[in-house]
Amino acid sequence: MDAITLLEQDKKKDLLRFVTAGSVDDGKSTLIGRLLYDSKGIYEDQLDAVKTASDRWGTVGGDIDLALVTDGLKAEREQGITIDVAYRYFTTPKRKFIIADSPGHEQYTRNMATGASTANLSIILIDAENGVLTQSKRHTFITSLLGIPHIVVAVNKMDLVDYSEDVYSKICEDYTEFAAKLEVADVTFIPVSALKGDNVVETSKNMPWYRGSTLLNHLESVHIASDRNLIDLRFPVQYVLRPDRTFRGYLGTVASGTIKPGEEVMVIPSGVKTKVKTVFSPDGELDEAFPPLAVGITTEDEVDISRGDMLVHVHNVPKVDRTIDAMVVWMSDEPLSLDKDYYIKQTTKAVSGRVSKLHYRVDVNTLHRSKETELNLNEIGRCVFTLSQPIAYDPYNRNRATGSFIIVDRITNNTVGAGMILDRVPADVSDVSISDSEPKSKHVTSQKSLITIEERIERMGAKPKTIWLTGLAGSGKTTIAYNLERKLFDAGQNSYVIDGENARLGFSKDLGFSAQERGENIRRAAEFARMLNEAGVITICSFLSPYESQRQLAREIIGTENYIEVYLSAPLDQCRKRAKPGIYDMASSGEIKNFTGVTAPYEQPENPDIVLPTHEFSVEMSVAKIIAFLETI
Amino acid sequence: MKYNVSNLKQLEAESIHIMREVVAEFENPVMMYSVGKDSSVMVRLAQKAFTPGSIPFPLLHVDTTFKFKEMIEFRDQFVKDIGARLIVHTNHDALERIGHVGNWTCSMCADLLKTQALIEALKLHGFDAAFGGARRDEEKSRAKERILSFRDSYMQWDPKNQRPELWNLYNTRHVKGESFRVFPLSNWTELDIWHYIYAEKIPMVPLYFAKKRPVIKRDGMLLLAGELNKAKDGEKVEEMMIRFRTLGCQLCTGAVRSKATTLEEVIEETMLARNSERQSRAVDQDREGSMEEKKKEGYF
């Protein structure tokens, strides 16, 4: 082969990063040594050095101890253990590989999490003689926690069980049963003997019953291109480039999604919109950029964008919040402490934050959860963080780049933990008091005002009602509510809108979208409406309020005689077109959970006072209809 | 496929990301420039990372004065061509104390003229981050090196106390006096470097290409004969077709016999031969685990 052919071949290669986990006795080092040795990834002189070292340190008597290929630091060599993640490189005609060799000793959790954070694939070694042990489970759990899309279970030391298919099948079954409890996508089993070389690079002659690929073959062919998120544009601005007065470019690495010239983008957190003028790369302008390319962006307008901001598509925005719920791997000797300030670095942004709540700790061996007040070295727990400023994020399982963060101690400046943000509204798990029908305290009694309802009605000239608008997202509730408010106000009436979205930003900020929390949201809104009515204000509530039982609750709180139910009956397909752009798509893709009409039910009102087919009526017509109704009562 | 990204593109993007992150978060970064092939790739990546701007930090060359003459000529021309700012630092104090070249040994040179000189230079200019072109595949002890490697105020590296490095989130926090070595080429292999040089047409010091040169055989190495390496008793100067696989000082960088006079031929020879490149450098072979000792002291 000549150089040109070699480079042509090399040009087509992609890159697979994998992590190996296993203990000293599983033969992990031997397996890596075998991969490097048989695929010619070790240079001759390094091999000579290993041969020399084998005589001194080796444990396999006479033969080359392949495990020594991967032993790095002297201290480790002396103790016969590896204590830190080591990176190895080898290449085949098809792919380049980076191995994150993560040691299986005491520091396993911290090390494996580190190695796993950048991996596409995880090799879990199981000793055929011992079967699925605690540590196999631990490694699988960490693999799943760090969101590695592919797993290879290498059942090693098959030579010691006479290459028995039964032993192998039993291990596969046991493992599958355990893995079912975790979020793991793609699992492949391969029976190997690293020591003898069976099915590592060469197909084994000792296991004719196994018809699958060898380990190397699988590593060369596993499909990884689709592991990237090419949907949600997230471009964290890393550096603002201003070489002269005329040029202003925003440098960064595309975290996910794609970005093109001419597209409208929004700056998070400012919410300012602009258009992409050019996407430039080190080699000139591009018509599209995608992960993991490091590029630059120029914009049409001069907008204020700085490091730590994020560019996104207008209709596909990340969550922006000061409170995040995350799984945390703790990496420091000093335990995680509540009420201590840490630095949190996520994408290109660093904020300070503290753990406001530790929900539970997960025992990596049993997956058992326990209530704890601190998290120690190598422990994993679920925490709520409260940050000094909001960050833009996505759940880690949807976006590794925007869902991950590191925790840094403010005094030692050490990296003390790593976090993976969960796909949950923090309120789902914090102790929100969802009110029961009875007040919590038994010692409160109802207090009476000295002004009677009649006196108020006399002063106001009208009996204030609550107009309750219900309907799907996009049916027009908010628009009609505010237009009605204006109309009534202009007519000299005191009117006020309680809007569902505003409620979510205000008095129901702590609530999620489960049926129970929706109920609580409605209860609060109804209580406010009742008070406003009593204060003489015509109240317009625009709430999706999908459940009949909850609207019934609102009716009871406000009082049947004051409650006017208006059903906006535009059907789903019409609402989809009219709704806030992209919101139904996000619901369909599962990004928004419990979305009414898509993944949560809408129960049509049984007996509304007014029905407005808002897909046919104009806003004016709808408002006029409601006013006409008010005049009849 | 449109969204496919080759190995080399991924490595390029990763290195650029690292450089931008360092420039954004450090006050006073510098790039170590040794004139060798890895350095040349690193400088090209720095140009790319900040285009259309210029490289926002100076290059630092620690000159032992025992370097090959062709390296210095090449260096000055190269820096001029790309319009970069170059700082050259030499430990003159040690040179004067030890005196004549014959008094120097390879390990003294590495300690005083490289390690000490580098530390001096970093302190003198107050650099808080220094990019280096080291790769993890070069040598065993480097396999566990971080991309951002923390150094205490004595510029020491503690292999047992490294900050965990996850995803592409680099912890750059430090107090005054502490610094980082940054290795943006960590994940590149020798083949990647050669491939990139080829693809990007990066200029190289002529010493990388084979030519008839006068050499002396000493301790199993081929040393370039001349002012610095004179034949001792029993040694003789021979003309041979040789080239260098790595460039360091004349005292301890051995050549290899080669017929490779073009880049293609070098790649063919290097990548189809299975000898790892540091073998021709004496510094690694002093004793087992020697590079690790040097790193603890501050050598790259």
Side-chain angles (χ1 to χ4, degrees), chain A residues 499-506 508-509 511-513 517-518 521:
Chain A
D499 177 71
E501 277 199 73
N502 287 348
R504 292 283 181 182
L505 295 170
S508 287
K509 205 174 179 174
L511 297 177
F513 291 85
E517 286 167 289
R518 281 173 190 273
N521 185 38

Side-chain angles (χ1 to χ4, degrees), chain A residues 10 17 40 44-45 56 76-77 87 89 96 117 228 238 253 283 288 307 343 345 415, chain B residues 2-3 7 14 17 20-21 25 48 143-144 167 170-171 173 187 192 195 274 276 288 292:
Chain A
D10 193 56
R17 296 178 197 243
K40 312 269 187 301
E44 295 295 338
D45 60 328
R56 253 175 91 186
E76 299 167 14
R77 232 176 295 164
Y87 295 88
Y89 304 80
K96 178 181 161 178
S117 70
R228 276 171 301 168
Q238 207 182 357
T253 302
D283 304 311
E288 189 172 19
R307 176 173 161 87
Y343 286 111
K345 184 170 180 184
T415 305
Chain B
K2 187 174 158 193
Y3 297 112
N7 163 46
E14 181 184 86
H17 179 86
R20 289 170 172 177
E21 198 65 12
E25 296 213 332
K48 287 192 169 206
K144 302 186 180 192
W167 300 289
Y170 301 105
N171 173 5
R173 298 199 63 88
N187 287 323
D192 297 324
H195 193 167
R274 311 296 315 173
S276 74
E288 222 192 325
E292 194 186 323

Side-chain angles (χ1 to χ4, degrees), chain A residues 3 31 36 89 134 150 200 238 328 367 371 417 441 451:
Chain A
L31 183 78
L36 297 176
Y89 304 80
T134 306
H150 311 279
V200 178
Q238 207 182 357
V328 166
L367 304 188
K371 272 271 181 201
S441 167
I451 308 163

Side-chain angles (χ1 to χ4, degrees), chain A residues 391-633:
Chain A
I391 57 164
Y393 70 91
D394 296 284
Y396 184 78
N397 63 12
R398 169 123 189 134
N399 203 320
R400 263 170 126 174
T402 56
S404 54
F405 60 91
I406 55 169
I407 307 163
V408 178
D409 188 283
R410 292 177 76 104
I411 294 162
T412 64
N413 282 333
N414 274 330
T415 305
V416 291
M420 287 134 289
I421 304 174
L422 291 165
D423 186 9
R424 287 182 185 86
V425 182
D428 264 347
V429 289
S430 61
D431 290 327
V432 174
S433 57
I434 305 288
S435 75
D436 306 313
S437 51
E438 289 301 317
K440 275 245 164 83
S441 167
K442 302 262 178 285
H443 309 292
V444 289
T445 47
S446 171
Q447 304 297 318
K448 291 273 180 287
S449 169
L450 299 176
I451 308 163
T452 64
I453 303 263
E454 285 72 27
E455 284 176 283
R456 289 184 202 273
I457 292 172
E458 206 175 343
R459 168 115 11 128
M460 299 300 161
K463 199 176 171 200
K465 307 271 180 194
T466 291
I467 297 132
W468 190 277
L469 305 177
T470 170
L472 293 168
S475 61
K477 297 182 295 294
T478 302
T479 313
I480 291 171
Y482 283 110
N483 278 282
L484 178 61
E485 181 187 40
R486 178 86 239 171
K487 199 91 183 167
L488 290 168
F489 183 82
D490 290 346
Q493 309 257 35
N494 203 358
S495 59
Y496 191 80
V497 173
I498 304 176
D499 177 71
E501 277 199 73
N502 287 348
R504 292 283 181 182
L505 295 170
F507 62 76
S508 287
K509 205 174 179 174
D510 55 337
L511 297 177
F513 291 85
S514 64
Q516 192 190 18
E517 286 167 289
R518 281 173 190 273
E520 171 63 5
N521 185 38
I522 298 302
R523 188 193 69 80
R524 293 180 191 178
E527 289 286 357
F528 282 123
R530 183 179 58 82
M531 285 190 263
L532 283 167
N533 282 169
E534 284 176 1
V537 180
I538 301 177
T539 306
I540 305 153
C541 290
S542 66
F543 279 79
L544 207 149
S545 46
Y547 300 104
E548 182 64 31
S549 60
Q550 288 166 5
R551 291 189 299 262
Q552 190 54 40
L553 175 75
R555 182 191 298 269
E556 280 166 23
I557 291 168
I558 293 161
T560 307
E561 69 285 6
N562 298 327
Y563 177 86
I564 301 163
E565 192 172 83
V566 184
Y567 172 40
L568 280 56
S569 66
L572 184 62
D573 55 331
Q574 295 291 326
C575 290
R576 192 179 263 274
K577 283 183 211 158
R578 299 153 43 113
K580 202 192 278 179
I583 194 146
Y584 274 95
D585 294 340
M586 283 194 265
S588 305
S589 71
E591 196 181 339
I592 302 183
K593 299 236 150 59
N594 292 330
F595 193 83
T596 301
V598 181
T599 46
Y602 180 83
E603 297 168 5
Q604 285 188 19
E606 288 167 11
N607 231 334
D609 297 295
I610 309 171
V611 178
L612 297 175
T614 42
H615 54 300
E616 290 164 14
F617 281 13
S618 66
V619 176
E620 290 73 14
M621 264 167 86
S622 299
V623 170
K625 264 228 146 191
I626 297 171
I627 288 183
F629 181 83
L630 289 175
E631 282 163 4
T632 64
I633 52 174

